[in-house]
């Protein structure tokens, strides 16, 4: 039985394959696409572009005109009957399939009429095999193959029952689960309830792959005791699929070797049909899951803060980059009066469940901030609202909460199993770790958590981040690590927070070296502005190879030239050119010396920031290479060789040039890193 559907293409396929008249099919084609279609008996009617000679030559045939690749017409003739469908390039494939199906239906009807009791199965099997191949091709011509397939399978079984005078025809498939403990997904098609019982039985008692089983019905007692013979083929499908195809005929029946071979060929065609359908089902499932993930991502994005609180006495910045459509990292920032509430967390897991759990955390957090004064009370209230869901999902969440009193410049901090945070002190450029103060939520009562607190000074920054930042690996398998993150934070500390985040992102990309990320990346930062903040800043992270150093030098030069038009606007062009020449020379010498002396030609990372103040231009650079002995490097050689230009930097002239090209310079060894600072006052800079 064909199924009813609103899809014109599916309706056409079922009409062509269900034995309806050719005139009904022609009318359906015209209704669906608006193209001309004809069905007739006798001579072709006017309007059909076919010559009498062609009509006489094709007594039983299907052909296209003018070419098989993109025909304008597709024709079929069966004895005195004719069918013609006009089509465009986009509908040509569907038109050919429909005409072929209609033609095959006429073949089936002819076989049924000619079949006698002693007729062998050879011709019906060959015909069924060709017919099933055509139906398999139809799945590639329709927009909704899954809807069409069920109706087509039911039609196929009915045709086979008629062709072979079978009591029942059945086909069944199982898709094995990906995880143990889950039942297989089973699909059974048959014409009777007993046929469905047989299909399930032979799924469990199938012959070896490629073998044909012929036996008396083992379940005849369930069908009233009527004797019957079953012929069953185990379908050669690839994992995770397995399937069987079989028929039942009344009484005792013998099958020739040729009939068994053709039956096996028909089974292979069923296997191709089902694997094609399975591929479409998998694609549809993936598309449905992807759509669900996109919807969940939209919900998740809509709950994240669109605009972060900002004020003249504080700065906030955030960044979130999921590794997949839906990640497990999340953050939120809410200001209530003089208090700023910040949260960053990581849900164990990904996908829709993680997105829904994140939504619950965000809602709970925004409710708690109106009833809490410190981080511990916020954590307590959030935990109360989500504890039941954590138990139900049997999962956990790491969470860091920071509450800042903007008036008093104090903070409280609680960390439930999350990565440690960093408190960068402006005075002395010191770093203080804010470690986890308890286990993740869902694994420990909240009463056991400890709350940290502190007093903030101008220029101080607190960084919260997820493990996707520090646990990114390079091609050798080494982590960027906390030391790598601290390098970036210290090197770019004077820059604006959004510029620091850009530097972290570049450092992560440089470390990955093209490898895909496996985890989400989230960053959240708060700062009380320093006494004097740069008006413009640009952060950088690069390698130490000659090409990397050259590219970085050029980028720094471009920014310096651009900024000079603002900060040295009152200077003459000659003064600006002299300033930029000296600055670019100092920068090039510094970066070259770092590559040559600190890293000694080994791969390394150069990071820092260039800062524009009203009165001066500043460059800060950090590297983790070998220590510099500036006393030696700044001592001029007693007999310099002016011909050895490349050796000047190695002998000390490079750093001497730096000292002469800038107004102030400094070098220090901090945290086993080299720290450099160059300063040069703008020519006639505005104060």
């Amino acid at each position: 039985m064909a199924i009813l559907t609103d899809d014109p293409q599916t309706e056409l396929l079922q009409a062509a394959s269900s034995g309806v008249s050719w005139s009904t099919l022609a009318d359906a084609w015209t209704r669906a696409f608006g193209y001309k279609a004809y069905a007739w008996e006798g001579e072709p009617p006017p309007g059909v572009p076919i010559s009498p000679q062609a009509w006489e030559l094709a007594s039983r045939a299907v052909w296209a005109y003018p070419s098989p690749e993109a025909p304008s017409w597709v024709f079929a003739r069966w004895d005195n009957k004719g069918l013609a469908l006009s089509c465009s390039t986009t509908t040509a494939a569907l038109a050919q399939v429909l005409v072929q199906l209609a033609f095959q239906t006429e073949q089936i009807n002819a076989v049924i009429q000619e079949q006698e009791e002693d007729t062998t199965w050879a011709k019906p099997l060959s015909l069924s095999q060709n017919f099933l191949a055509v139906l398999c091709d139809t799945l590639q011509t329709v927009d909704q193959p899954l809807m069409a397939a069920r109706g087509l399978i039911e039609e196929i079984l009915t045709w086979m029952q008629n062709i072979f005078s079978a009591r029942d025809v059945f086909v069944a498939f199982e898709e094995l689960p990906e995880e143990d403990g889950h039942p297989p997904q089973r699909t059974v098609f048959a014409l009777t309830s007993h046929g469905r019982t047989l299909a399930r039985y032979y799924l469990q008692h199938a012959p070896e792959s490629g073998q044909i089983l012929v036996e008396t019905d083992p379940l005849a007692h369930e069908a009233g005791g009527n004797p019957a013979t079953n012929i069953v083929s185990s379908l050669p499908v690839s994992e995770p699929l397995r399937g069987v195809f079989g028929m039942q005929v009344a009484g005792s029946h013998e099958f020739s070797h040729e009939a068994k071979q053709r039956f096996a060929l028909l089974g292979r065609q069923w296997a191709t049909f089902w694997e094609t359908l399975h591929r479409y089902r998998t694609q549809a499932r993936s598309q449905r899951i992807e759509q669900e993930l996109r919807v969940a991502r939209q919900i998740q994005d809509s709950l994240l803060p669109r605009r972060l609180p900002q004020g003249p006495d504080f700065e906030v910045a955030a960044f979130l980059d999921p590794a997949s459509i839906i990640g497990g990292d999340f953050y939120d920032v809410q200001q209530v009066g003089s208090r700023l509430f910040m949260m960053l967390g990581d849900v164990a897991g990904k996908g829709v469940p993680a997105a829904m759990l994140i939504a619950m955390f965000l809602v709970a957090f925004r409710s708690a901030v109106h009833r809490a004064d410190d981080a511990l009370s916020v954590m307590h209230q959030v935990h109360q609202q989500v504890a039941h869901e954590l138990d139900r999902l049997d999962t956990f969440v790491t969470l860091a909460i920071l509450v800042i009193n903007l008036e008093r410049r104090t903070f409280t901090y609680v960390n439930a199993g999350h990565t440690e945070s960093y408190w960068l002190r402006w005075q002395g450029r010191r770093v203080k770790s804010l470690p986890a103060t308890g286990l993740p939520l869902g694994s420990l009562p909240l009463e056991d958590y400890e709350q940290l607190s502190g007093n903030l000074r101008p220029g101080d920054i607190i960084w919260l981040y997820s493990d996707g930042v520090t646990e990114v690996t390079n091609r050798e398998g080494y982590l960027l690590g906390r030391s790598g993150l601290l390098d970036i934070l210290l090197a770019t500390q004077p820059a604006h927070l959004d510029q620091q985040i850009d530097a972290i992102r570049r450092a992560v990309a440089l470390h990955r070296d093209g490898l895909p990320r496996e985890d989400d990346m989230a960053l959240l930062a708060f700062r009380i502005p320093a006494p004097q903040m740069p008006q413009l800043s640009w952060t950088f992270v690069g390698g130490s190879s000659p090409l990397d150093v050259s590219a970085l030098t050029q980028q720094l030069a471009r920014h310096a030239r651009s900024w000079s038009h603002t900060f040295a606007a009152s200077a003459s062009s000659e003064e600006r050119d002299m300033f930029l020449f000296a600055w670019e020379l100092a920068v090039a010498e510094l970066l070259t010396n770092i590559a040559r002396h600190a890293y000694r030609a080994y791969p390394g990372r150069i990071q820092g920031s260039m800062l524009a103040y009203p009165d001066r231009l500043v460059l800060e650079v950090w590297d983790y290479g070998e220590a510099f002995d500036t006393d030696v490097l700044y001592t001029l050689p007693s007999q310099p060789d002016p011909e050895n230009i490349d050796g000047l930097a190695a002998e000390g002239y490079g750093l001497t040039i730096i000292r002469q090209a800038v107004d102030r310079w400094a070098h220090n060894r901090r945290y086993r890193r080299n720290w450099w600072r160059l300063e040069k006052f703008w020519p006639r800079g505005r104060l």
Side-chain angles (χ1 to χ4, degrees):
M1 295 295 291
I3 61 174
L4 297 177
T5 172
D6 294 331
D7 179 35
Q9 295 182 7
T10 303
E11 182 181 356
L12 281 168
L13 287 171
Q14 295 180 358
S17 58
S18 59
V20 300
S21 65
W22 286 11
S23 60
T24 302
L25 179 61
D27 292 340
W29 178 260
T30 301
R31 287 196 307 272
F33 297 105
Y35 298 124
K36 293 181 180 180
Y38 298 92
W40 68 91
E41 293 188 11
E43 296 298 322
V48 178
I50 183 173
S51 64
Q53 295 82 0
W55 177 252
E56 292 299 328
L57 290 175
S59 60
R60 292 185 177 184
V62 175
W63 71 99
Y65 176 82
S67 68
E69 290 77 15
S72 299
W73 289 85
V74 181
F75 303 96
R77 179 180 180 182
W78 185 270
D79 296 340
N80 205 34
K81 295 172 59 177
L83 176 65
L85 303 182
S86 65
C87 56
S88 64
T89 303
T90 57
T91 58
L94 181 60
Q96 293 182 68
V97 167
L98 292 173
V99 172
Q100 185 68 42
L101 285 173
F103 184 82
Q104 293 278 8
T105 301
E106 293 297 325
Q107 284 186 307
I108 292 173
N109 293 334
V111 170
I112 294 174
Q113 293 175 3
E114 297 172 359
Q115 189 177 21
E116 298 178 356
E117 290 185 2
D118 60 347
T119 301
T120 66
W121 279 24
K123 187 173 182 179
L125 281 168
S126 178
L127 181 60
S128 296
Q129 181 184 347
N130 295 334
F131 188 48
L132 192 57
V134 174
L135 289 174
C136 187
D137 291 338
T138 65
L139 295 179
Q140 305 179 39
T141 64
V142 296
D143 294 332
Q144 299 182 19
L146 301 183
M147 182 180 292
R150 179 169 292 276
L152 293 175
I153 290 174
E154 293 174 353
E155 296 294 350
I156 293 171
L157 298 183
T158 302
W159 297 323
M160 291 182 175
Q161 183 186 40
N162 294 332
I163 291 174
F164 299 106
S165 299
R167 180 179 292 176
D168 206 336
V169 185
F170 56 86
V171 61
F173 302 91
E174 277 188 345
E175 182 178 350
L176 301 178
E178 296 181 359
E179 300 179 2
D180 295 337
H182 292 75
Q185 184 178 355
R186 181 176 298 171
T187 304
V188 175
F189 293 95
L191 300 177
T192 66
S193 59
H194 184 62
R196 287 188 287 274
T197 302
L198 286 173
R200 287 189 288 268
Y201 172 82
Y202 283 113
L203 274 177
Q204 304 300 321
H205 305 83
E208 296 292 331
S209 179
Q211 299 296 317
I212 301 298
L213 174 65
V214 178
E215 65 177 2
T216 303
D217 184 6
L219 305 178
H221 61 282
E222 297 184 9
N226 297 322
T229 302
N230 299 337
I231 179 171
V232 182
S233 172
S234 181
L235 302 184
V237 291
S238 57
E239 292 186 354
L241 301 175
R242 66 176 182 175
V244 293
F245 163 62
M247 295 185 190
Q248 184 179 86
V249 294
S252 177
H253 200 97
E254 296 291 335
F255 297 93
S256 66
H257 178 70
E258 181 185 6
K260 292 180 180 179
Q261 284 185 323
R262 288 187 175 273
F263 194 83
L265 290 174
L266 188 57
R268 284 198 284 272
Q269 196 63 52
W270 268 111
T272 301
F273 184 91
W274 186 256
E275 286 186 325
T276 303
L277 180 59
H278 175 71
R279 184 172 65 252
Y280 282 118
R281 290 178 64 183
T282 302
Q283 292 174 353
R285 188 184 304 121
S286 299
Q287 292 172 356
R288 184 177 66 255
I289 293 174
E290 185 174 348
Q291 178 62 24
E292 292 175 356
L293 292 176
R294 279 196 294 266
V295 172
R297 174 67 182 273
Q298 292 172 358
I299 295 174
Q300 183 177 352
D301 288 346
S302 67
L303 291 173
L304 293 174
R306 295 185 179 181
R307 301 178 66 179
L308 297 174
Q310 298 291 347
D313 54 350
F314 69 93
E315 182 184 2
V316 177
F319 174 74
L320 176 62
D321 186 15
S324 57
I325 296 180
I326 296 183
D329 289 0
F330 61 97
Y331 72 90
D332 199 6
V333 182
Q334 299 292 322
Q335 184 176 2
V336 180
S338 62
R339 284 185 172 83
L340 194 67
F341 298 84
M342 305 174 67
M343 171 181 69
L344 191 143
D346 186 357
V347 175
K350 301 288 187 289
V352 176
M356 301 310 296
L357 192 56
I358 289 172
M360 292 185 63
F361 267 87
L362 293 172
V363 172
F365 178 74
R366 292 174 187 179
S367 173
V369 297
H370 294 282
R371 303 190 304 271
D373 295 329
D374 56 23
L376 186 60
S377 57
V378 174
M379 184 77 79
H380 180 72
Q381 293 184 41
V382 169
H383 188 226
Q384 283 183 330
Q385 296 187 50
V386 301
H388 176 74
E389 194 67 14
L390 291 173
D391 290 340
R392 188 183 70 83
L393 296 175
D394 191 23
T395 189
F396 63 89
V397 174
T398 65
L399 191 68
I401 292 180
L402 176 68
V403 178
I404 298 170
N405 188 314
L406 298 173
E407 290 182 350
R408 299 180 180 178
R409 291 186 175 179
T410 60
F411 73 86
T412 56
Y413 172 84
V414 176
N415 185 324
H418 199 70
T419 53
E420 63 180 350
S421 301
Y422 292 123
W423 178 9
L424 273 66
R425 310 297 298 269
W426 179 256
Q427 187 175 7
R429 302 288 281 268
R430 293 177 290 112
V431 178
K432 181 177 177 59
S433 173
L434 301 176
T437 59
L439 295 179
L441 292 179
S443 58
L444 189 72
L446 192 62
E447 288 74 15
D448 293 334
Y449 284 80
E450 179 186 357
Q451 178 172 269
L452 305 180
S453 61
N455 297 312
L456 297 170
R457 295 178 179 272
D460 287 1
I461 307 175
I462 296 182
W463 280 96
L464 283 64
Y465 64 94
S466 66
D467 55 10
V469 178
T470 53
E471 293 183 4
V472 61
T473 58
N474 61 12
R475 295 187 178 274
E476 287 73 36
Y478 293 107
L479 298 175
L480 176 65
R482 290 175 289 184
S483 62
L485 175 60
L486 279 174
D487 281 346
I488 310 303
L489 297 181
L490 290 169
T492 61
Q493 185 176 358
H496 296 285
L497 291 181
D498 57 349
Q499 281 290 319
Q500 291 185 257
I501 287 177
D502 287 343
I504 296 170
R505 294 173 61 185
R506 287 194 294 270
V508 169
L510 181 67
H511 190 77
R512 286 192 297 112
D513 191 23
L515 294 177
R517 282 195 301 112
E518 299 180 354
D519 202 357
D520 311 325
M521 187 166 67
L523 295 159
L524 185 59
F526 168 86
R527 168 160 58 191
I528 295 178
Q532 186 180 19
M533 291 292 295
Q535 293 190 5
L536 293 175
S537 62
W538 184 72
T539 57
F540 54 88
V541 178
S544 62
S545 70
L547 287 177
D548 292 331
V549 169
S550 175
L552 179 55
T553 302
Q554 294 176 25
Q555 289 177 310
L556 289 166
R558 283 197 297 269
H559 281 83
R561 290 182 178 275
S562 175
W563 294 353
S564 68
H565 292 287
T566 299
F567 294 92
S570 61
S572 65
S573 59
E574 291 81 7
E575 288 176 318
R576 281 200 303 269
D577 288 343
M578 288 297 296
F579 171 88
L580 292 170
F581 174 78
W583 177 260
E584 292 168 15
L585 178 62
V587 170
E589 291 294 339
L590 175 61
L591 299 183
T592 301
N593 273 273
I594 291 174
R596 289 181 177 178
H597 295 288
Y599 291 120
R600 298 187 181 276
Y602 290 101
R605 192 172 61 242
I606 301 174
Q607 56 255 318
S609 57
M610 190 164 69
L611 316 165
Y613 294 91
D615 60 338
R616 65 194 184 280
L617 184 61
V618 175
L619 179 72
E620 289 199 4
V621 183
W622 287 66
D623 69 78
Y624 53 86
E626 296 182 12
F628 277 84
D629 187 347
T630 55
D631 292 336
V632 174
L633 291 172
Y634 285 129
T635 301
L636 294 176
S638 56
Q639 294 181 343
D641 182 3
E643 301 295 330
N644 183 12
I645 302 298
D646 294 335
L648 292 179
E651 294 175 358
Y653 278 106
L655 295 179
T656 302
I657 292 174
I658 293 172
R659 183 171 56 181
Q660 295 174 349
V662 299
D663 296 313
R664 296 174 183 169
W665 67 272
H667 169 267
N668 204 342
R669 185 76 174 171
R670 297 179 176 178
Y671 306 105
R672 291 182 294 181
R673 304 292 190 264
N674 291 309
W675 171 77
W676 298 90
R677 181 181 174 94
L678 308 183
E679 297 185 24
K680 190 170 182 63
F681 291 102
W682 298 108
R684 297 182 182 178
R686 54 189 179 88
L687 300 177

